[in-house]
Amino acid sequence: MRLPELCAHRGFAAEYPENTIAAVEAAIAAGARTVEIDVQLSRDQVPVLFHDRNLERMCGTRGAIHERTFAELSALSASESGRFGETYRDVRIASLDDFVELLRRHPRVSAFVEIKRTSIEVFGTDLVLERVHAAIEPALAQCTFISFSLPALALARRRYALPLGAVFDRWDERLTPSMSAIEPQFVFCDLDGLPATGSLRDSAWRTVIYEVADPQVALALAERGVAMVETFAIGPMLAAFRELEKKPA
């Protein structure tokens, strides 16, 4: 039985507000050795952990990350109240610096740092890469840049000596000619965008599939050549994998 590696998708997002320090700390405490976070720039160009194009779902207010300064964002609750009510009302939007500080305290943990297209559209690829790379430099050996933006990854390949991951909605999108300029170490694909059958293994990169919360689905993906799956439910998935490892072959 082959088990894929597990990545904590936006931290332990099943039980904590996603992309927060609380979610990442909980994922690591649960045993995660790889985490994924999303990064955007504030109006004053501070990299912060945030996925959505607007603040409504996480913070219950209008607007976008790039429309507010970091000081203004820091005053908002990132409680994801639609799921958690007032449980995490004191949780705040984290800076990438905060995340890197946490990462340095756990040198065996690696991170996929996803650069969101929203910031690239607003600030341009050069500036976004510059700001994000500067922030992760203290933990550079633990980080991999990933993005849906293939031009951003191609520029990162020319500029920086760090691993890269290209992210796609559909499996056949990985065949785009622009991949030759990126030479990614990882290719990410949405579970819903996969073909029903066939190998998902490629000698040029490691395949990562998101979002997976069922251990049996993860096992089936591993049989097809998947190296890693991303999951919001990192705690339950790790527990399930430990039980599977106890079973005789």
Side-chain angles (χ1 to χ4, degrees):
M1 178 176 57
R2 179 177 177 271
L3 296 175
E5 296 176 45
L6 293 176
C7 173
H9 193 182
R10 307 178 203 168
F12 197 162
E15 296 189 12
Y16 296 82
E18 65 179 48
N19 275 317
T20 61
I21 294 301
V24 177
E25 286 180 328
I28 294 172
R33 290 297 171 262
T34 307
V35 298
E36 184 269 353
I37 50 97
D38 304 294
V39 176
Q40 298 184 45
L41 298 189
S42 66
R43 192 175 73 193
D44 48 351
Q45 301 170 9
V46 176
V48 300
L49 276 56
F50 208 83
H51 175 273
D52 293 2
R53 283 183 172 265
N54 62 65
L55 295 160
E56 292 180 13
R57 180 173 65 90
M58 291 297 299
C59 304
T61 190
R62 294 182 179 180
I65 290 289
H66 65 265
E67 295 173 340
R68 304 200 186 198
T69 67
F70 179 63
E72 291 168 336
L73 292 171
S74 298
L76 299 176
S77 171
S79 62
E80 205 173 343
S81 62
R83 286 204 295 151
F84 301 113
E86 294 297 302
T87 302
Y88 298 109
R89 63 179 179 273
D90 294 328
V91 171
R92 297 291 183 261
I93 294 172
S95 70
L96 186 54
D97 287 341
D98 294 333
F99 173 75
V100 168
E101 183 180 333
L102 172 60
L103 202 58
R104 291 186 69 192
R105 296 200 300 270
H106 299 277
R108 295 185 180 180
V109 175
S110 60
F112 292 119
V113 179
E114 181 173 344
I115 300 171
K116 302 304 289 182
R117 288 176 291 191
T118 306
S119 281
I120 292 171
E121 292 162 7
V122 173
F123 296 103
T125 304
D126 282 348
L127 180 63
V128 173
L129 285 179
E130 177 186 322
R131 294 289 189 270
V132 176
H133 187 268
I136 69 169
E137 198 157 16
L140 205 59
Q142 294 169 259
C143 294
T144 296
F145 272 173
I146 69 173
S147 186
F148 280 92
S149 173
L150 300 188
L153 293 175
L155 181 57
R157 173 59 69 219
R158 296 195 297 272
R159 283 190 175 176
Y160 309 121
L162 80 168
L164 301 176
V167 188
F168 300 103
D169 291 314
R170 298 188 57 80
W171 182 242
D172 55 5
E173 292 174 340
R174 80 198 190 286
L175 301 175
T176 175
S178 57
M179 286 284 278
S180 62
I182 300 169
E183 298 181 343
Q185 282 75 20
F186 301 89
V187 162
F188 293 69
C189 186
D190 190 334
L191 177 65
D192 294 334
L194 296 177
T197 60
S199 175
L200 302 172
R201 182 181 288 108
D202 195 293
S203 60
W205 53 65
R206 303 184 74 209
T207 302
V208 186
I209 303 302
Y210 64 94
E211 160 58 37
V212 180
D214 184 332
Q216 294 305 317
V217 172
L219 287 177
L221 290 170
E223 290 301 313
R224 296 175 67 186
V226 169
M228 182 182 292
V229 298
E230 283 191 292
T231 181
F232 294 139
I234 188 66
M237 286 285 280
L238 283 167
F241 275 26
R242 285 191 286 268
E243 290 301 313
L244 288 169
E245 287 175 330
K246 292 177 185 178
K247 293 181 178 182

